[in-house]
């Protein structure tokens, strides 16, 4: 009785993003960080994240930007990325099954690892460098 299908179209991406940030906003560890920064701009943030994941998963290039830069000054450590990943993986797995679902988890994990490495690098080398 397997009901889950794969991520196939933009509507699937929207359901993934809406469900994920629904969990994020209520999370006791990371919810406050998001809500403090985003405040009343959640509709815009969700629109941007639909485009980000549409670009990554469906190869429909609607997002352009610099995903890392806004995270540089956030109060985030390994434990926050671990929670982000836990919620993201749980959301993907509860909704979808297949190659794109696997790709979403793979790319989310890569991005979280890269963000954390870069944040730690910038903290150690307090001045700005071309790694941005
Ligand atoms: C070593 C790993 C990575 C490096 C060094 C890197 C670097 C960058 C840089 C510098 C940009 C901005 C480009 C610009 O300024 O025009 C960018 C954009 C982007 N990155 Fe990455 N990235 C990495 C991994 C990832 C991963 C894992 C994902 C997917 C989850 C990803 C998705 C994107 C997307 C969607 C854009 C926007 C593309 C565009 O504007 O056309 N990147 N990346
Ligand atoms: C605990 C970890 C994280 C926190 C607290 C966090 C928080 C945020 C917040 C608050 C924003 C909105 C910034 C603003 O508009 O003022 C944002 C933007 C964004 N986040 Fe994260 N994030 C985290 C991890 C990730 C990961 C792992 C990814 C990628 C898979 C990601 C992808 C993005 C992208 C693409 C944007 C939009 C950047 C732009 O303006 O173009 N974030 N994040």
């Amino acid at each position: 009785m397997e009901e889950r299908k794969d991520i196939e179209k933009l509507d699937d991406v929207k359901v993934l993003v809406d469900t994920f940030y629904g969990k994020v906003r209520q999370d006791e560890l990371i919810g406050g960080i998001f809500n403090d920064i985003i405040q009343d701009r959640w509709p815009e943030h969700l629109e941007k994240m639909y485009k980000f994941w549409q670009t990554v998963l469906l190869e429909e290039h609607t997002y352009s930007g610099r995903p890392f830069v806004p995270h540089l000054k956030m109060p985030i450590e390994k434990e926050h990325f671990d929670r982000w990943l836990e919620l993201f993986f749980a959301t993907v797995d509860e909704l979808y099954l297949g190659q794109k679902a696997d790709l979403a988890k793979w790319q989310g994990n890569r991005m979280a690892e890269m963000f954390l490495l870069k944040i730690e690098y910038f903290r150690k080398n307090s001045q700005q460098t071309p790694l941005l």
Side-chain angles (χ1 to χ4, degrees), residues 11 18 20 23 31 34 36 40 45 93:
D11 278 348
D18 288 345
F20 172 62
K23 291 186 208 287
F34 280 88
D36 284 350
D40 61 354
H45 181 65
D93 286 339

Side-chain angles (χ1 to χ4, degrees), residues 52-53 55-56 61 63-67 107-108 110-111 114 118 132:
F52 176 77
W53 286 110
T55 301
V56 171
H61 204 133
Y63 173 85
S64 76
R66 307 182 70 193
Q107 292 290 46
R110 283 182 57 200
M111 203 64 150
M114 179 191 72
K118 288 177 69 160
L132 271 180

